[in-house]
Amino acid sequence: MTMDDKGLSRRNLLRYAGLLGAATTITAGLGACGDGGDSAGPGGKTIEATLAFTLSSGFDPMNASSAVATTVNQHVFEALVDLDPITREPYPALASALPAAGADELTWTVTLREGAKFSDGTPVTADDVVWSFQRALDPANKALMAGFITFVDTVTAKDPKTVEFRLKTPFSLFPQRIAVIKIVPKAKTGDAAAAKAFDTAPIGSGPFTVVSANATAGVVMGVNSHYNGPRPAKAKKVTLRTTPDNTARLNDLQGGSSQAIEAVPYLDVTAVSGGKTVDEKQAFNQLFLMFNCTAAPFDDKRVRQALHYAIDTDKLITTALQGHATAATSYLDEGNSGYQKAATVYGYDPDKAKALLAEAGVTNLSFELVTTDTAFVKDSAPVIIDAWKAIGVTATLNTNPSSAVYGTIVPGDGFRVLAASGDPTVFGPDTDLLLRWFYTNETWTRSRHRWAGTPQASKCAQIIDDAAKSSGSAQSALWKQALDLIADEAPLYPVFHAKMITAFDPAKLKDFAGAATTGLYFLGASRG
């Protein structure tokens, strides 16, 4: 799934299209093959891997949105606090320690790691931290990350190594949430021209650097020799091939040209052989139905509910994903630490679906089902359409790349229903972040499902805000209210949560594990 599925606006989509053209020209020397046979050197041997998506956005972490860019950025940039890509636990990255709240719970102070430098050799300063947050919060930048840090009031450099945050309201998730803001050098991003160049040639303080990037061939990362943090590179180079072709990825692994691949094809999980390890994890990664909530009859929640009840999800998962998914019983997947079962669960009930349509006064319902071209979405769509046909609903299929779906089709007046995948857990797995992504984010709520402006949407946003100011059992109770409301209203709601399946060669790759989100992560990993 590309991050275009996760909220890339049309404005940014068009901007990145131009930038990627420039990136392809700049990095034309990137080859399709790596040098896994290199002898050990500084940082060890080369790791080679194959990702399931192509590079479709720039690297500037304020707006990076593609699955490839967000994967690369986890290696190239640091936040004050980062989330381990596998365990999702927070750890001090650029910060010398996890921040603690002041007595008023509104003031948080962070001290930078001693000797931290960007990959160009310049020191990381408190001014760079302040700038990184301010540029994201500046409304003129329309930063993708801004919606995750609305609780921040001011960020101030108290001295070259100390930063003070003042919050608008208490926010107990502050230490882990600031992971969404990667720290960038002010000197390289302080004006529009510099920021444009930075988007294709990023400079971070993480253990790796971008050596070359190509929208088709992939990305090569080298070692940041100035890195002095807790997770130094243990590989001389990381070569990330990129292809949505299932067979090509599997052949890369089985043929030995890659030591790891993501998104093992569901049909081929049992075919992985030769001592390779398959790592399967339950993930948030969902197939959802999204409706234009301003267009009749989809402005009636009973119609939205009916189309969910009509789907035999267990049959769908068996048919389209060979069993590698879990039927949704909440907006959150059951593997999420914040999971709570929703009051409304859409079990297979075609009679109830018919009754709901009758209550809504809807007969002979016919519409176009738009889908992205993500593999499990394409495989699921015909099964869903057949299920709707059984309750007297006719849907025609219109499948397109994510760029077309979110750039032109969904924003258009004729859009009615979308089936697509979504997984914002790459930014963080906490309930507040995940609720905000689809249900308070302006792009989704106004330009896509168009639920914004309804009393229910306003109530949902208020509950989310109230929960953010709370903690403990009170916070969990408020989140349950939001999860129940969203399940009942279903402006955008999951049908199932797919599992992430990674495969790797344990004889050639050490200290590696698959993630429960998109991407492959090699922090601390090395060649065997």
Side-chain angles (χ1 to χ4, degrees):
M1 183 196 79
T2 68
M3 290 296 297
D4 294 339
D5 299 331
K6 302 174 187 176
L8 181 59
S9 69
R10 176 168 172 78
R11 171 183 178 270
N12 283 334
L13 188 66
L14 294 173
R15 182 168 69 90
Y16 289 140
L19 288 173
L20 286 173
T24 303
T25 301
I26 292 169
T27 61
L30 175 59
C33 299
D35 53 355
D38 284 352
S39 59
K45 298 180 181 179
T46 294
I47 292 174
E48 297 162 300
T50 308
L51 301 176
F53 309 97
T54 56
L55 182 62
S56 58
S57 79
F59 294 106
D60 188 334
M62 180 176 71
N63 273 315
S65 58
S66 74
V68 176
T70 51
T71 298
V72 170
N73 284 355
Q74 188 65 31
H75 299 79
V76 170
F77 292 100
E78 292 179 288
L80 293 171
V81 174
D82 272 324
L83 302 181
D84 184 285
I86 310 305
T87 68
R88 310 321 305 276
E89 292 297 317
Y91 66 92
L94 268 174
S96 60
L98 290 175
D104 63 357
E105 297 186 346
L106 295 176
T107 303
W108 296 73
T109 302
V110 182
T111 302
L112 295 181
R113 182 179 74 232
E114 191 65 35
K117 293 182 178 180
F118 292 110
S119 59
D120 64 355
T122 58
V124 181
T125 69
D127 285 338
D128 293 312
V129 175
V130 172
W131 168 247
S132 298
F133 278 85
Q134 288 180 342
R135 70 193 290 259
L137 288 168
D138 184 348
N141 290 328
K142 297 184 179 180
L144 194 62
M145 298 300 106
F148 294 143
I149 56 170
T150 56
F151 54 86
V152 173
D153 187 13
T154 61
V155 188
T156 307
K158 306 303 289 183
D159 62 48
K161 293 294 180 183
T162 309
V163 181
E164 181 183 272
F165 292 83
R166 286 286 298 174
L167 309 189
K168 298 173 184 176
T169 59
F171 186 62
S172 62
L173 299 174
F174 176 88
Q176 65 200 70
R177 179 58 59 79
I178 56 175
V180 303
I181 302 298
K182 303 298 186 183
I183 307 307
V184 301
K186 183 177 182 180
K188 302 293 184 181
T189 54
D191 60 63
K196 182 176 181 180
F198 183 84
D199 207 21
T200 56
I203 296 171
S205 63
F208 290 92
T209 64
V210 172
V211 175
S212 58
N214 184 283
T216 302
V219 180
V220 174
M221 296 187 292
V223 175
N224 173 9
S225 61
H226 299 285
Y227 179 77
N228 71 340
R231 302 198 170 187
K234 294 184 178 179
K236 171 183 174 180
K237 188 187 297 182
V238 177
T239 298
L240 299 174
R241 301 184 183 90
T242 57
T243 177
D245 187 299
N246 288 340
T247 301
R249 289 197 310 282
L250 196 61
N251 287 343
D252 281 353
L253 179 72
Q254 296 291 68
S257 60
S258 284
Q259 291 86 56
I261 64 171
E262 72 166 330
V264 177
Y266 298 116
L267 283 170
D268 298 314
V269 171
T270 58
V272 175
S273 59
K276 311 300 190 299
T277 295
V278 175
D279 191 348
E280 182 169 343
K281 288 184 169 69
Q282 180 59 60
F284 177 89
N285 189 27
Q286 57 180 236
L287 180 143
F288 61 74
L289 295 180
M290 183 182 81
F291 303 92
N292 180 344
C293 295
T294 62
F298 305 106
D299 56 345
D300 189 326
K301 72 177 182 181
R302 292 172 296 186
V303 175
R304 304 193 294 264
Q305 291 173 342
L307 294 180
H308 275 279
Y309 279 119
I311 300 169
D312 185 342
T313 307
D314 290 336
K315 176 183 177 181
L316 172 62
I317 290 170
T318 300
T319 304
L321 288 88
Q322 304 300 301
H324 298 286
T326 303
T329 56
S330 175
Y331 169 64
L332 301 177
D333 66 279
E334 295 181 23
N336 189 294
S337 61
Y339 169 82
Q340 298 182 77
K341 187 176 181 179
T344 301
V345 175
Y346 293 101
Y348 178 50
D349 194 338
D351 290 336
K352 186 168 186 176
K354 292 176 184 177
L356 284 166
L357 290 176
E359 288 176 21
V362 174
T363 58
N364 301 317
L365 179 59
S366 178
F367 58 88
E368 177 184 80
L369 175 65
V370 177
T371 78
T372 59
D373 59 358
T374 302
F376 71 72
V377 176
K378 289 194 298 183
D379 293 342
S380 297
V383 183
I384 292 172
I385 287 175
D386 282 347
W388 289 340
K389 185 177 181 180
I391 64 165
V393 173
T394 301
T396 57
L397 185 60
N398 181 10
T399 298
N400 283 274
S402 295
S403 56
V405 168
Y406 292 110
T408 59
I409 299 173
V410 166
D413 293 339
F415 164 69
R416 294 296 179 267
V417 185
L418 169 72
S421 60
D423 190 0
T425 58
V426 69
F427 299 122
D430 69 81
T431 305
D432 178 84
L433 183 150
L434 297 178
L435 287 172
R436 288 183 185 280
W437 184 256
F438 285 130
Y439 305 110
T440 69
N441 178 293
E442 287 281 311
T443 298
W444 286 100
T445 61
R446 295 197 179 277
S447 303
R448 294 180 179 175
H449 55 69
R450 300 154 162 95
W451 192 43
T454 65
Q456 295 82 5
S458 298
K459 180 180 178 180
C460 183
Q462 186 61 59
I463 293 170
I464 294 170
D465 283 342
D466 289 345
K469 301 171 190 175
S470 304
S471 60
S473 59
Q475 188 177 63
S476 294
L478 287 165
W479 281 339
K480 178 64 161 61
Q481 290 181 33
L483 293 170
D484 288 348
L485 189 157
I486 289 164
D488 180 61
E489 286 288 318
L492 178 155
Y493 201 71
V495 176
F496 60 70
H497 295 278
K499 296 180 179 180
M500 292 293 187
I501 308 178
T502 305
F504 64 98
D505 187 339
K508 296 181 180 179
L509 194 58
K510 303 299 183 184
D511 300 318
F512 172 82
T517 187
T518 51
L520 298 170
Y521 301 93
F522 302 101
L523 300 174
S526 61
R527 279 294 304 272

